[in-house]
Amino acid sequence: MTRDVIVLTPTPPDRATLLAGLFAGGPDLRVDTAAESAVTQLCAPDGRPLVAIEASALVRVPAEVRRLLGVDTEGPVWWTEARASTAVPEAYALARSFAGRLATVLGGTVWPGGTVTTDVVPLRTDITAVPVPDTGIPAVDVLTPRALVVMQDRPVVPLSTWLADALRHAADGDRALQLVTPPASRLTLPLRTALRGLPHRWVVRDERQGLYDGLSGVRLRWSGGIFGPDLDERGAAILVEPFREPVAGAVRQLVLQARTRHHPDAELLLGGALEAVFRRLTGAAPRGWGTAEPAGNPWSRRQLTELARARAPRPTLLTVVGAGALATVRVLRTREGVEEDVTVVVGDTSTAGEGSRAGDGRGAGAGSDAVGPDAVGPDAMGPDAVGPDAVEGVARELHARHGLVSLLASYRSGRADLTVPARFEAPPVPVRLLVPEDSARGGAGIPASVRLGAGTGAARLYRLGDGSDAVAAWRALERLTGEGGAGGGAGSGPGAGRSRG
């Protein structure tokens, strides 16, 4: 599998430092560029890529480094990421030497930890016998007419700029993106959301169990240039045993999915609904945002709006992070106006058990600084911070001030750090549903509700329960929607069930 090496430095690598790093393989290796010069490649003499190095990015949200790597930093850092191919044994040593040289010159930290080396790594392998991965996309290890396969070997796999680029290529080429990891890897919620729905897959490669889908547990096989279900003699899917194991240290999570709509005028400032949700449920505004992870830009509604306006009419997909919470946002220009589809996941960390950080892959406590004693988050605000009454308060504020069109709130059980393991997770339990008043239903068996607002903008907020009775809640939702899910796009985020083929 491709292995990643990340170097964190207080200042950006200048041209001389980068050249010193690129000489980790000696003068015989070649240097090339890809992705419109955003990626530098260290290549063998015949041109085959050994290490790909992404342009450095400034991460001004220190909590993001801790969330994704388990590394504490004092302030903003420059994040430089190198990907080493395992097709050539020396490639990983080259990546570590490159990172070590940058860290030595600039005074930084290399992840994964271990001995920092600056040694020259001679290329001893007979590379003429090594197949050349002719993908043309730096993040992709295998390219077929049906799939882009990316291999990752790290404890927490985020929606990095590498993977975001691969997703765009997959969509443009009508292909599946299929991510291959070891069984201990976990996905961040933004990446899990990006891989939602077939033909995209999270493929777990287990030495004892073989290949299986990390979101459904279905055994897989490689056939026809794509990973697909490995069916038994009756044509049924096979569920592997490791997937049945419970998630250790699970806590309650609130999943809030909402759609807001705004008039597209020059004064429009996006992100207001999202900020209101964070303030109500975590006690603070979001910390950072970005188009990928790490979400290293300090929270700014103005900058977010400028980016979405520059990209219009194309949709803008964003990741937003805060204390004990994560969100994904999709901004889209429609005939009705400018819409924001928001999914916020908040961990009830007051019930979290002991765990460890993301970088070591052992425990459950790496999600955010909210687990700390001085952090602002749901645990610091009391046991009802994410309760049904709090959800109703969110719904009322969003409807009154932020153009709320629809909302679905659910509870589910998951890891305290909000990462997604390759384990079975029960479907979420819906507790509140908001729809426009003209879409509301009445009659026998319809759950209690309250009307919000008046006139054409009125909405109906249904109370489906408190999360303690999943069967009753889902039956109530089915009676309201006729489909067992929320309409209007409110039920399509990470809170949706994980079953798939």
Side-chain angles (χ1 to χ4, degrees):
M1 290 189 180
T2 301
R3 299 185 67 182
D4 300 340
V5 181
I6 297 167
V7 58
L8 307 170
T9 56
T11 57
D14 57 21
R15 188 178 187 88
T17 305
L18 284 173
L19 286 174
L22 291 170
F23 266 92
D28 294 332
L29 299 188
R30 293 173 47 184
V31 176
D32 202 351
T33 60
E36 298 179 348
S37 299
V39 175
T40 301
Q41 293 178 315
L42 191 58
C43 304
D46 68 346
R48 69 191 66 207
L50 302 174
V51 179
I53 302 150
E54 192 174 35
S56 302
L58 178 60
V59 179
R60 292 182 286 170
V61 184
E64 275 295 86
V65 180
R66 186 176 192 271
R67 179 176 72 91
L68 299 177
L69 303 181
V71 175
D72 289 318
T73 59
E74 294 297 327
V77 293
W78 288 86
W79 176 301
T80 306
E81 189 159 343
R83 302 188 76 237
S85 170
T86 56
V88 178
E90 295 89 350
Y92 184 63
L94 278 169
R96 286 199 66 87
S97 181
F98 165 81
R101 289 169 176 233
L102 265 60
T104 299
V105 173
L106 301 175
T109 301
V110 175
W111 181 94
T115 303
V116 175
T117 178
T118 60
D119 295 341
V120 173
V121 180
L123 188 61
R124 305 184 190 279
T125 300
D126 179 10
I127 59 173
T128 59
V130 178
V132 180
D134 185 19
T135 68
I137 309 168
V140 175
D141 295 281
V142 177
L143 178 66
T144 77
R146 302 177 66 188
L148 282 74
V149 180
V150 178
M151 300 180 181
Q152 290 272 268
D153 185 3
R154 52 201 289 181
V156 174
V157 185
L159 180 59
S160 63
T161 52
W162 302 98
L163 287 175
D165 181 63
L167 276 165
R168 286 190 292 270
H169 281 281
D172 292 343
D174 196 24
R175 292 182 172 99
L177 176 65
Q178 301 197 316
L179 174 70
V180 182
T181 76
S185 294
R186 310 187 305 276
L187 307 187
T188 63
L189 281 167
L191 179 55
R192 189 266 175 267
T193 303
L195 293 178
R196 179 183 67 239
L198 298 173
H200 300 324
R201 282 192 189 274
W202 174 18
V203 181
V204 175
R205 187 167 73 176
D206 190 313
E207 292 183 359
R208 293 177 297 176
Q209 297 291 333
L211 303 168
Y212 61 93
D213 190 300
L215 298 177
S216 71
V218 170
R219 180 165 293 167
L220 302 175
R221 65 189 181 99
W222 178 260
S223 177
I226 196 169
F227 290 102
D230 185 11
L231 307 179
D232 63 16
E233 61 276 5
R234 297 172 299 173
I238 303 169
L239 192 67
V240 300
E241 285 303 317
F243 189 77
R244 304 175 190 268
E245 298 175 8
V247 176
V251 302
R252 182 176 70 163
Q253 296 177 355
L254 169 65
V255 183
L256 191 71
Q257 299 159 286
R259 173 172 293 173
T260 61
R261 185 176 297 146
H262 317 282
H263 182 69
D265 58 50
E267 303 301 318
L268 175 62
L269 199 61
L270 300 173
L274 185 63
E275 182 172 311
V277 172
F278 270 71
R279 289 189 182 279
R280 278 188 169 266
L281 299 181
T282 73
R287 288 176 173 170
W289 71 283
T291 56
E293 296 176 283
N297 304 308
W299 176 246
S300 169
R301 293 179 58 192
R302 178 184 58 80
Q303 292 177 359
L304 184 156
T305 303
E306 289 173 354
L307 175 66
R309 184 173 285 123
R311 291 189 170 189
R314 296 173 297 161
T316 296
L317 305 178
L318 302 170
T319 294
V320 179
V321 297
L326 279 171
T328 57
V329 184
R330 183 173 185 264
V331 181
L332 183 65
R333 183 73 165 88
T334 68
R335 292 181 179 178
E336 290 78 18
V338 178
E339 297 185 353
E340 294 176 89
D341 282 340
V342 175
T343 298
V344 183
V345 181
V346 184
D348 187 359
T349 50
S350 63
T351 61
E354 290 188 357
S356 59
R357 298 180 178 180
D360 59 26
R362 292 195 304 267
S368 72
D369 290 348
V371 229
D374 58 348
V376 177
D379 56 334
M381 297 177 62
D384 296 326
V386 294
D389 290 342
V391 172
E392 289 203 9
V394 169
R396 291 177 184 275
E397 179 173 351
L398 297 192
H399 183 265
R401 301 180 181 178
H402 299 287
L404 182 64
V405 175
S406 62
L407 177 144
L408 175 65
S410 308
Y411 292 127
R412 70 177 181 192
S413 179
R415 287 178 58 99
D417 62 9
L418 305 184
T419 60
V420 180
R423 296 287 186 271
F424 172 75
E425 293 180 347
V429 181
V431 293
R432 293 294 185 272
L433 173 70
L434 181 141
V435 297
E437 180 67 23
D438 57 12
S439 300
R441 294 190 180 187
I446 297 299
S449 65
V450 60
R451 179 186 171 104
L452 302 185
T456 57
R460 179 70 55 175
L461 179 65
Y462 291 96
R463 294 163 175 161
L464 310 178
D466 61 4
S468 60
D469 190 336
V471 174
W474 277 106
R475 285 176 177 169
L477 188 61
E478 288 171 1
R479 285 193 291 268
L480 289 170
T481 65
E483 315 178 332
S492 58
R498 297 180 65 180
S499 61
R500 53 190 278 161

